[in-house]
Amino acid sequence: EAGVVQSPRYKIIEKKQPVAFWCNPISGHNTLYWYRQNLGQGPELLIRYENEEAVDDSQLPKDRFSAERLKGVDSTLKIQPAELGDSAVYLCASSFRQGWYGYTFGSGTRLTVV
Amino acid sequence: GQQVMQIPQYQHVQEGEDFTTYCNSSTTLSNIQWYKQRPGGHPVFLIQLVKSGEVKKQKRLTFQFGEAKKNSSLHITATQTTDVGTYFCAGPPGTASKLTFGTGTRLQVTL
């Protein structure tokens, strides 16, 4: 069984440009998460989906970040426009049940904004 | 908001020595999870503890959940170079479902 798949693996963009990240969770995992991890820190939750509904987006900077999870499977996280401070690793994770059972993380997308 | 702190922030040991990382939450946790992240990798789920005072073992790793469900520890016996990485604890506070990650402990093991 494939794990959580993310693409791209790396992305370098100039500031003010848009960027999008894609995530395919584990089949059967209804809960999907987007985390951001800065260097040397723990992952921080950006948004959590239960099926296709965003149930916790309180940490998502809504002026420039947006996310969607069509049909409750794949998800896309977008930044427009990107700022230098957005450079980080963006991790997607999925779980069988929110908050319980371990999360399975994808390999992440390392974003560098120059 | 909830804060989850880990100590030490970094530890360097020689292979064969023991290692312990401590996790402390500002709020009571419904469960505690531990993850390992290798350098350049992503967090990988190790274990989940649910009951107050629970102790679980995985080979050389021993995990403990505090009686008050606000702290936890991970102990590695006789470290190996394969143990290198950052260990994170994570837990949802109370009845919440959001998993908050700790600050992490980076372990370096040398021969």
Side-chain angles (χ1 to χ4, degrees), chain B residues 62-83:
Chain B
T62 302
F63 305 83
Q64 189 167 12
F65 200 9
E67 293 291 340
K69 302 184 78 172
K70 294 180 70 173
N71 57 73
S72 181
S73 64
L74 158 60
H75 179 81
I76 302 178
T77 302
T79 56
Q80 301 175 359
T81 55
T82 54
D83 295 325

Side-chain angles (χ1 to χ4, degrees), chain A residues 53-91:
Chain A
E53 182 183 0
V55 296
D56 184 354
D57 63 356
S58 57
Q59 302 300 314
L60 191 71
K62 298 182 184 62
D63 57 335
R64 298 183 300 107
F65 286 64
S66 64
E68 61 181 8
R69 190 183 183 195
L70 299 177
K71 301 182 181 179
V73 182
D74 294 1
S75 178
T76 302
L77 177 68
K78 297 179 181 178
I79 308 175
Q80 183 173 11
E83 297 179 352
L84 295 176
D86 295 331
S87 295
V89 175
Y90 291 83
L91 294 161

Side-chain angles (χ1 to χ4, degrees), chain A residues 21-60:
Chain A
F21 315 124
W22 175 81
C23 173
N24 177 246
I26 290 178
S27 177
H29 281 190
N30 296 326
T31 310
L32 182 147
Y33 316 81
W34 283 102
Y35 278 83
R36 177 169 59 188
Q37 187 175 26
N38 292 307
L39 189 63
Q41 299 181 19
E44 296 178 323
L45 181 69
L46 291 174
I47 189 168
R48 173 169 59 94
Y49 280 93
E50 190 65 31
N51 296 308
E52 66 275 7
E53 182 183 0
V55 296
D56 184 354
D57 63 356
S58 57
Q59 302 300 314
L60 191 71

Side-chain angles (χ1 to χ4, degrees), chain A residues 9 33 35 37 40-43 45 48 56 58-59 91 98-108 110, chain B residues 9 30-31 33 35 37 40-45 48 50 88 92 94 96-104:
Chain A
R9 187 75 174 89
Y33 316 81
Y35 278 83
Q37 187 175 26
Q41 299 181 19
L45 181 69
R48 173 169 59 94
D56 184 354
S58 57
Q59 302 300 314
L91 294 161
Q98 56 189 5
W100 296 80
Y101 305 95
Y103 291 9
T104 301
F105 282 87
S107 299
R110 182 177 296 276
Chain B
Q9 189 173 1
S30 55
N31 69 82
Q33 300 177 21
Y35 292 78
Q37 186 171 23
H42 57 276
V44 175
F45 174 72
Q48 179 187 48
V50 178
F88 291 100
S97 49
K98 183 170 76 173
L99 200 64
T100 299
F101 280 78
T103 49

Side-chain angles (χ1 to χ4, degrees), chain B:
Chain B
Q2 180 198 22
Q3 289 189 331
V4 183
M5 305 297 293
Q6 288 182 248
I7 55 171
Q9 189 173 1
Y10 170 75
Q11 186 152 9
H12 183 182
V13 301
Q14 289 200 319
E15 190 176 48
E17 293 181 335
D18 292 355
F19 160 78
T20 303
T21 173
Y22 299 91
C23 171
N24 292 285
S25 171
S26 58
T27 59
T28 301
L29 303 170
S30 55
N31 69 82
I32 189 82
Q33 300 177 21
W34 284 90
Y35 292 78
K36 177 183 178 181
Q37 186 171 23
R38 295 182 184 274
H42 57 276
V44 175
F45 174 72
L46 294 177
I47 206 164
Q48 179 187 48
L49 304 171
V50 178
K51 300 177 182 177
S52 169
E54 187 171 12
V55 178
K56 286 188 176 180
K57 292 188 176 183
Q58 286 182 349
K59 297 182 179 178
R60 296 178 294 104
L61 278 61
T62 302
F63 305 83
Q64 189 167 12
F65 200 9
E67 293 291 340
K69 302 184 78 172
K70 294 180 70 173
N71 57 73
S72 181
S73 64
L74 158 60
H75 179 81
I76 302 178
T77 302
T79 56
Q80 301 175 359
T81 55
T82 54
D83 295 325
V84 166
T86 300
Y87 293 84
F88 291 100
C89 63
T95 57
S97 49
K98 183 170 76 173
L99 200 64
T100 299
F101 280 78
T103 49
T105 295
R106 185 161 70 95
L107 172 64
Q108 180 63 35
V109 182
T110 53
L111 294 172

